[in-house]
Amino acid sequence: MQGRSVWGSKVGFLLAAVGSAVGLGNVWRFSYVSYQNGGGAFLVPYLVAMLTAGIPLMILEYGLGHREKASPPLAFARVHHLWEPFGWWMPIVAFFGINLFYAVVIGWCFNYFLLALNLGWGAETGVFFEEHFLQVSSGPFEFVGIRWPIFAGALLTWVLCWLICFKEIRHGIEKASLLFMPVLLVMTIILVAWSLQLEGATDAVWNHYLRFEWSKISLLTAEGRSVWIAAYGQIFFTLSLGFGIMITYASYLPKKSDITSNAIITCLIDCSYSIFAGLAVFGTIGYMAQTKGVAFEEAITAGPGLAFVVYPEAINQLPAGNRLFGALFFLVLIIAGISSAISLTEAFTCSVCDKFKFERKKTVSVLCVLGMAGSIIFTTHAGLYILDIVDHFVNAYALILGGILECILVGWLMKAPKMRKHIFAVSGRKVWPLWDIAICFITPVMLMLILLGALYREFGEAYGGYPVGALLLFGGGTLVLSRFGAFILSHVPWPYQKRTHAHTPEEETLLT
Ligand code: PFF
């Protein structure tokens, strides 16, 4: 039997993991969430969430992938034979729940990159985005037809995903990450430096982005508690935890690997990137608010509106170089997005290959074609509604449940000290026993609170004011179908003894 692929270098693995974590969400989701939740004071719960949930869970995912040398279904099945369906659920949701629409949003970015070159979005950026670009229909069931420019953008994304994932891990994802991540960093630095010298930018950064409102994070008030919950949710999303992606990536690590350091470095880079990129977002919007003479609060909005409406509007107002600035911004989004999309594709590809022993190239090809076919619904005139609904349900439930399941599996079924022992054995670094507490108690409790909060809100009012039928069909449907798919796949018998760990001589090498 051929041995499992291995990363060519420690840096290659690290950059691929960072590439998965740093995505569309870092550039504008973090900025908006932090602004909404106390500005600078949000950094406190955010960093606490990183320390108490982000890093412990990253260590867990790296440890599990590395120990079992397996994708999530196989890793879960090895820890407890009844848990294979949960192991399937995560990569299925990652692929069918997120990647299908994630590719379409990257497709929007490709379009906006081209539009930036001649400021083709015009003066009324909001009207352009909804009425000319998306041509949004009147409701989630009014598909009308396909928006071909968006279709073309999504197709380009899938082709790129296919080209990168088609090759063996060290020649595909690793090489792409070694190129993408430094380029992304340099472009982000240029963007931030450019934004900060704009008039009104530093004012917006100090008074809105980094403004400390301590009262907002008090655990004594309901509002303060919701800020803490938002921080845990953001950490989870930004670090790509709960989808088995990091389990998959770590399964390609050599036998001797420094799990703890890698986990800490991944978290630190991702979180610092978010905070850093936020400077560009706030700086540019601050400039626009000043030129238009409106209050900052009026200029900023959440979700896609921030990147595709507010940002283009700000770009219009720039004194010079607006085309270049706009193109740079959307290129940053494209690169950040693609490096996350390939990780979503890889997690499912690896799971299928592990179970069925299919050839990687054929599997990736079939999955990318299926992926593009599935993305089509998001390229219709109703795409924005469906995307919003699926995104909401996947983030609010699947991702959080994935994290809780991982904590139960490793913390309680495998027993946390056993994992700590493994990590010590392969890296020579001790993990603090405090980690057990984080995995067995703090993280699952916080995640359960988030889940309960989401459920409470769900039953209180229909999300986004959508018809309940649409929420059930697109949101509930994604969750139920993926769970059903997981059930079916886990009932196919393994074609070989699943307890075999295949080590090649290469895997025994210690990468430093
Ligand atoms: N971490 C990515 C971001 O911040 O945009 C999003 C993401 C990618 C979430 C992959 C989950 C995932 F599995």
Side-chain angles (χ1 to χ4, degrees):
M1 185 166 65
Q2 214 200 338
R4 198 175 186 79
S5 309
V6 187
W7 296 104
S9 64
K10 178 180 167 183
V11 165
F13 159 71
L14 209 67
L15 291 189
V18 168
S20 170
V22 171
L24 299 174
N26 290 63
V27 184
W28 85 89
R29 191 177 194 271
F30 172 79
S31 316
Y32 187 77
V33 171
S34 80
Y35 171 69
Q36 204 176 32
N37 291 286
F42 178 74
L43 289 181
V44 175
Y46 182 71
L47 292 177
V48 172
M50 183 187 80
L51 290 173
T52 57
I55 293 180
L57 236 113
M58 191 64 85
I59 295 178
L60 181 155
E61 289 209 2
Y62 280 179
L64 187 61
H66 178 269
R67 183 176 186 271
E68 305 301 338
K69 291 237 156 288
S71 57
L74 183 51
F76 274 46
R78 278 182 179 152
V79 176
H80 195 290
H81 68 285
L82 291 179
W83 276 58
E84 190 189 333
F86 295 128
W88 273 111
W89 194 44
M90 299 204 284
I92 291 181
V93 173
F95 191 77
F96 292 103
I98 300 188
N99 215 5
L100 299 193
F101 76 72
Y102 211 76
V104 174
V105 179
I106 302 170
W108 296 355
C109 295
F110 275 119
N111 277 279
Y112 266 69
F113 169 76
L114 293 179
L115 287 164
L117 298 177
N118 62 354
L119 301 182
W121 47 61
E124 293 289 332
T125 55
V127 175
F128 177 84
F129 181 58
E130 293 214 349
E131 291 176 19
H132 298 281
F133 179 64
L134 297 178
Q135 296 183 7
V136 182
S137 63
S138 53
F141 293 115
E142 306 295 321
F143 303 114
V144 184
I146 292 174
R147 284 285 298 126
W148 291 106
I150 301 177
F151 179 92
L155 185 64
L156 181 57
T157 308
W158 278 110
V159 169
L160 287 172
C161 246
W162 174 71
L163 283 174
I164 296 170
C165 294
F166 184 76
K167 294 200 181 130
E168 211 264 320
I169 200 90
R170 71 165 68 174
H171 301 297
I173 295 184
E174 181 166 354
K175 274 213 177 119
S177 307
L178 285 170
L179 170 73
F180 284 169
M181 289 304 107
V183 171
L184 186 65
L185 181 66
V186 171
M187 291 197 320
T188 312
I189 291 175
I190 298 175
L191 211 55
V192 169
W194 195 338
S195 314
L196 288 185
Q197 50 80 38
L198 295 169
E199 213 180 310
T202 38
D203 180 56
V205 166
W206 286 118
N207 295 328
H208 297 282
Y209 186 39
L210 299 177
R211 167 209 55 181
F212 282 78
E213 274 189 58
W214 291 110
S215 59
K216 276 213 169 179
I217 59 165
S218 162
L219 278 169
L220 301 175
T221 63
E223 197 201 12
R225 286 191 289 273
S226 76
V227 169
W228 282 82
I229 289 177
Y232 276 82
Q234 173 62 18
I235 275 294
F236 227 70
F237 180 80
T238 190
L239 294 176
S240 303
L241 295 168
F243 283 117
I245 287 171
M246 298 307 182
I247 297 180
T248 309
Y249 274 8
S251 75
Y252 300 127
L253 278 169
K255 194 169 182 202
K256 291 276 178 202
S257 293
D258 194 343
I259 309 263
T260 328
S261 309
N262 282 333
I264 294 174
I265 296 172
T266 313
C267 295
L268 288 180
I269 296 182
D270 179 74
C271 295
S272 323
Y273 182 88
S274 288
I275 298 171
F276 187 64
L279 295 174
V281 176
F282 274 74
T284 317
I285 297 172
Y287 167 75
M288 180 184 76
Q290 172 143 335
T291 2
K292 283 176 69 183
V294 297
F296 186 85
E297 291 77 4
E298 275 176 49
I300 191 163
T301 47
L306 189 54
F308 297 96
V309 176
V310 180
Y311 224 78
E313 197 180 345
I315 290 166
N316 283 346
Q317 319 268 342
L318 289 180
N322 9 26
R323 290 173 173 78
L324 189 62
F325 188 92
L328 196 65
F329 176 72
F330 287 104
L331 205 55
V332 162
L333 285 183
I334 290 170
I335 296 179
I338 298 246
S339 55
S340 295
I342 53 179
S343 73
L344 293 160
T345 309
E346 178 59 28
F348 193 44
T349 304
C350 177
S351 304
V352 172
C353 290
D354 270 0
K355 175 121 194 188
F356 300 100
K357 290 281 148 212
F358 288 159
E359 204 206 332
R360 178 185 178 84
K361 291 185 174 167
K362 284 191 191 134
T363 312
V364 170
S365 307
V366 172
L367 289 185
C368 286
V369 171
L370 275 180
M372 182 59 220
S375 285
I376 290 177
I377 192 165
F378 298 102
T379 67
T380 63
H381 293 243
L384 182 66
Y385 301 123
I386 304 169
L387 185 156
D388 189 26
I389 295 172
V390 174
D391 180 43
H392 166 73
F393 276 84
V394 168
N395 281 324
Y397 302 104
L399 185 115
I400 304 296
L401 256 171
I404 296 174
L405 291 170
E406 285 177 348
C407 290
I408 298 174
L409 185 80
V410 174
W412 297 91
L413 293 175
M414 175 195 269
K415 307 275 186 244
K418 198 164 160 187
M419 178 58 87
R420 266 195 298 121
K421 242 187 233 160
H422 168 78
I423 295 173
F424 177 57
V426 296
S427 64
R429 247 181 242 275
K430 277 211 166 107
V431 180
W432 285 1
L434 216 61
W435 182 76
D436 301 9
I437 299 175
I439 288 304
C440 294
F441 302 103
I442 303 176
T443 312
V445 166
M446 279 317 291
L447 295 180
M448 272 180 208
L449 285 179
I450 297 178
L451 198 65
L452 290 177
L455 275 172
Y456 179 74
R457 274 196 301 270
E458 209 68 64
F459 287 106
E461 56 181 314
Y463 170 72
Y466 292 109
V468 175
L471 295 176
L472 285 176
L473 182 71
F474 300 119
T478 304
L479 299 184
V480 172
L481 272 183
S482 51
R483 192 67 197 81
F484 182 68
F487 178 79
I488 301 284
L489 285 170
S490 60
H491 278 75
V492 177
W494 289 85
Y496 62 99
Q497 176 48 264
K498 64 175 181 281
R499 290 230 149 254
T500 321
H501 291 238
H503 290 301
T504 63
E506 260 176 314
E507 288 174 5
E508 311 297 324
T509 326
L510 172 63
L511 293 172
T512 49

